[in-house]
Amino acid sequence: MGICISSESSAIHGAPQEARDENVLVFEASKVLSGTRGLCSAYSKQGSKGLNQDAATLCQGYGTEDASFCGVFDGHGRNGHIVSKIVNSRLSSLVLNQKQVHAKIDTVQKSDNKNIINHVDTVEEDSAPNENFQEWKEAILGAFKVMDKEVKLQENLDCSCSGTTAVVVIRQGEDLVIANLGDSRAILGTISDGEANRIRSCNGRVFALREEPHIQRVWLPNENSPGLAMSRAFGDFMLKDHGIIAVPDISYRTLTANDQFIVLASDGVWDVLSNKEVSSIVWTADTEKEASRAVVQAATAAWKRKFPSSKVDDCTVVCLFLHKKQQLLPMGSANPS
């Protein structure tokens, strides 16, 4: 599957001493750049709440030479750190396996259709919407479903109120596919509306606590628990009958010359930094390798400044550059969303 670096392996082998002392997970960018079109960097730092429940993966040569897989996973609950690591280690392989399965099925179906009505098959081929995206979408939906089942079947692991987010970006050539589960985010990702109504239709309740009015949480019908701050996640099986699902929002974008980089991050970053602020930090970083660390450092400082009495959340960032920094357009030409 090409070169794949995860936060677990980097924490053991790749981090400098000062990073290990701070319980920082560092990805060695040099390990994932050789022979690839994309330039990547990633950085993760534990907050002050306890174990770092974040995990992340960078894969280059993902199935094909021109494909990359990036993922950030933010665990929550007592066993969230375990769930995020399980998903981090398995999801990229599951998606690729599903992609290969669907590709074989499509090949057989096309062959059968061509043998029956050749001219109809030709018309469908010419008029079909982006076929590559459809294949990735089917693979992602299938893989997320399998992943949630695998989490549930883990022995001696209680995931009734533990789980993880997942934000995944797959780049293949000029095609960009984003899948989002929970409140981690990719800058080019899309968060859909209407989630609260969907939860309520399943008898779940959605409201914010008085002490944190900016955070909407999901609660059981007749109990003020568990108060999950997202509507989609792996795990959290106590709420699966009340609207929490493991079906990701999936969106697509055709990359253009104006698209310069993609940033994935856990909510510890987005709680204190805006999309624009993160984009500016990445843009002005000295090197690709330093970009993710610069965002994490800015987020940590913002936590202490904005919420001095609160515990700092874990912060994890993955940056995928679409061009080398010396090839970037002037700042006014960029259009990160």
Side-chain angles (χ1 to χ4, degrees):
M1 194 171 65
I3 304 172
C4 190
I5 305 296
S6 69
S7 56
E8 296 98 310
S9 63
S10 298
I12 298 172
H13 302 295
Q17 183 60 48
E18 63 273 18
R20 292 197 297 270
D21 290 344
E22 296 178 1
N23 203 356
V24 176
L25 304 180
V26 181
F27 297 73
E28 290 295 337
S30 60
K31 293 182 181 179
V32 297
L33 301 185
S34 177
T36 64
R37 293 179 59 189
L39 308 175
C40 299
S41 71
Y43 198 81
S44 179
K45 185 173 183 179
Q46 176 182 313
S48 55
K49 297 181 177 181
L51 290 171
N52 189 343
Q53 294 192 308
D54 289 358
T57 293
L58 299 172
C59 292
Q60 298 279 26
Y62 183 64
T64 60
E65 289 186 1
D66 66 341
S68 305
F69 177 102
C70 302
V72 168
F73 313 97
D74 180 3
H76 53 263
R78 186 180 64 181
N79 295 318
H81 60 293
I82 300 175
V83 181
S84 65
K85 287 181 179 180
I86 292 172
V87 175
N88 186 43
S89 65
R90 283 285 290 147
L91 188 60
S92 60
S93 296
L94 286 175
V95 172
L96 197 57
N97 290 341
Q98 290 283 320
K99 178 75 155 51
Q100 294 168 346
V101 168
H102 285 293
K104 290 180 181 179
I105 293 174
D106 289 343
T107 299
V108 172
Q109 289 177 340
K110 287 180 181 179
S111 177
D112 291 342
N113 290 339
K114 187 174 182 180
N115 290 334
I116 297 172
I117 312 177
N118 186 60
H119 71 280
V120 172
D121 180 69
T122 302
V123 171
E124 289 179 352
E125 186 75 19
D126 292 341
S127 61
N130 190 291
E131 185 176 338
N132 194 39
F133 168 61
Q134 293 299 329
E135 290 179 358
W136 280 119
K137 182 177 181 180
E138 292 175 2
I140 290 168
L141 290 172
F144 275 58
K145 184 176 182 179
V146 172
M147 187 74 260
D148 202 43
K149 288 182 179 178
E150 288 192 7
V151 170
K152 190 172 186 178
L153 293 174
Q154 293 292 314
E155 294 184 3
N156 302 317
L157 182 63
D158 180 7
C159 293
S160 58
C161 294
S162 296
T164 186
T165 70
V167 59
V168 167
V169 168
I170 298 171
R171 181 196 180 186
Q172 185 173 25
E174 302 310 312
D175 293 325
L176 189 70
V177 182
I178 307 100
N180 198 359
L181 195 71
D183 60 0
S184 294
R185 189 190 311 168
I187 283 182
L188 290 177
T190 301
I191 299 176
S192 63
D193 297 325
E195 290 291 274
N197 291 333
R198 185 177 58 76
I199 297 295
R200 293 184 180 110
S201 70
C202 299
N203 295 321
R205 293 182 298 151
V206 180
F207 63 87
L209 296 174
R210 182 177 300 176
E211 57 268 28
E212 47 178 28
H214 60 293
I215 301 177
Q216 296 291 314
R217 295 182 179 274
V218 180
W219 311 84
L220 289 171
N222 301 308
E223 297 180 43
N224 287 339
S225 66
L228 184 64
M230 64 200 70
S231 60
R232 304 184 184 216
F234 289 118
D236 296 298
F237 296 107
M238 180 181 289
L239 289 169
K240 281 285 160 66
D241 290 334
H242 301 291
I244 298 300
I245 57 176
V247 180
D249 288 319
I250 302 176
S251 54
Y252 169 81
R253 180 184 178 94
T254 300
L255 294 171
T256 70
N258 289 330
D259 296 318
Q260 304 299 312
F261 53 79
I262 304 155
V263 182
L264 297 78
S266 56
D267 68 324
V269 172
W270 305 116
D271 282 347
V272 292
L273 297 177
S274 67
N275 291 353
K276 186 175 181 179
E277 288 171 327
V278 170
S279 297
S280 297
I281 294 166
V282 172
W283 191 273
T284 56
D286 292 336
T287 65
E288 292 90 355
K289 186 175 180 179
E290 289 298 317
S292 54
R293 178 171 183 156
V295 174
V296 169
Q297 289 176 333
T300 301
W303 268 96
K304 295 177 180 178
R305 185 177 66 254
K306 294 181 177 181
F307 306 111
S309 61
S310 298
K311 292 183 178 180
V312 178
D313 200 0
D314 303 329
C315 295
T316 298
V317 175
V318 173
C319 300
L320 176 63
F321 289 86
L322 308 177
H323 309 281
K324 289 185 178 181
K325 285 185 73 66
Q326 60 265 31
Q327 295 176 341
L328 294 179
L329 299 175
M331 187 61 183
S333 301
N335 188 31
S337 59

